[in-house]
Amino acid sequence: MRYTTDEVCRLTHLCPEILRNWHRNRLIKIDFSQQISEACLADIRVIKALTSSGDTLEEIKQLLNDSWCYRPSGWPARRKELQALIDNHSRFAINDHLRKLTRTYCFYDLTKYLFLPLIHQPASAINQPENHQFAVATIRALACMTDYPCTVQKRLKPLQQPAFSFHGSMELKTNEFTSHQVNNPGTFNRVTTVLPG
């Protein structure tokens, strides 16, 4: 049996951008102009299972090619990386990193293992409140843009509140957009997110 890209995305709850990223990183072989084989779909499911542990694409490549060198890192390492970025880097770097994560991991896994722990972080653990709020606002924006909001948003109740907006004295540009799919037909989730610069 063969599948279209849309069917594969629906079956695996992955967006096409993730499949393209995995293809660029030589984890799967897909010709997007043709239908996808059962064997390729099985490979996609294997990579999805491996990324659900939080390992990087480089670590997964190492596991598949040189398993004796494989050293897993998992979601605790991704949480530390994100926290270090929020504590020590610019909003542009935070925005870029979060978008890269959404091109690597299933959004549901990101939400469960990375985003919700960040959102529910105690105030005493937050070193840079403004950067933390910016990261949360960016996550909310990404949640509204995901290709499978109905699946993901059941898990994302905290993310459906209006996002933070930093106006006024900080002189930051903002971007308003409307999500193309929402839980309630006929309504729109309006989100304001901060753009770097």
Side-chain angles (χ1 to χ4, degrees):
M1 188 169 180
R2 300 185 77 80
Y3 304 89
T4 65
T5 305
D6 286 344
E7 287 171 334
V8 168
C9 291
R10 197 166 48 252
L11 289 168
T12 59
H13 297 285
L14 298 170
C15 66
E17 187 55 42
I18 291 175
L19 298 179
R20 281 193 279 280
N21 189 28
W22 291 357
H23 176 71
R24 275 192 301 271
N25 281 275
R26 298 181 180 172
L27 291 169
I28 56 174
K29 292 179 184 175
I30 293 183
D31 182 352
F32 287 96
S33 64
Q34 297 180 3
Q35 290 195 323
I36 297 167
S37 68
E38 192 79 50
C40 187
L41 178 60
D43 291 343
I44 291 168
R45 286 184 165 140
V46 166
I47 301 304
K48 183 185 177 194
L50 292 171
T51 59
S52 70
S53 68
D55 287 348
T56 64
L57 297 185
E58 283 300 317
E59 290 166 340
I60 291 168
K61 265 196 275 193
Q62 203 169 50
L63 172 65
L64 296 174
N65 299 322
D66 302 312
S67 58
W68 59 276
C69 292
Y70 171 66
R71 299 288 179 274
S73 59
W75 292 114
R78 302 294 78 76
R79 281 193 288 273
K80 284 180 186 173
E81 288 168 2
L82 182 57
Q83 192 59 57
L85 204 67
I86 289 169
D87 290 346
N88 303 307
H89 290 81
S90 69
R91 291 180 179 185
F92 181 82
I94 294 166
N95 183 58
D96 188 51
H97 183 71
L98 288 170
R99 290 180 186 278
K100 281 180 183 172
L101 288 172
T102 62
R103 291 190 299 268
T104 302
Y105 301 99
C106 170
F107 204 89
Y108 183 86
D109 292 332
L110 278 176
T111 301
K112 182 176 180 181
Y113 299 112
L114 195 62
F115 294 162
L116 287 178
L118 176 74
I119 289 166
H120 297 301
Q121 199 173 28
S124 60
I126 298 171
N127 298 325
Q128 296 286 336
E130 289 178 359
N131 278 359
H132 182 270
Q133 289 178 340
F134 172 77
V136 171
T138 304
I139 290 165
R140 288 180 172 144
L142 291 169
C144 288
M145 292 189 306
T146 183
D147 285 346
Y148 299 101
C150 294
T151 309
V152 172
Q153 286 181 3
K154 289 176 186 171
R155 194 80 183 154
L156 292 181
K157 294 276 185 198
L159 304 187
Q160 293 175 9
Q161 303 162 7
F164 290 98
S165 179
F166 302 98
H167 296 283
S169 62
M170 299 180 86
E171 296 179 1
L172 293 171
K173 296 176 187 174
T174 62
N175 179 34
E176 289 195 340
F177 65 91
T178 307
S179 65
H180 61 284
Q181 292 179 331
V182 290
N183 279 340
N184 300 323
T187 64
F188 294 93
N189 290 343
R190 198 150 186 202
V191 178
T192 302
T193 186
V194 182
L195 298 176

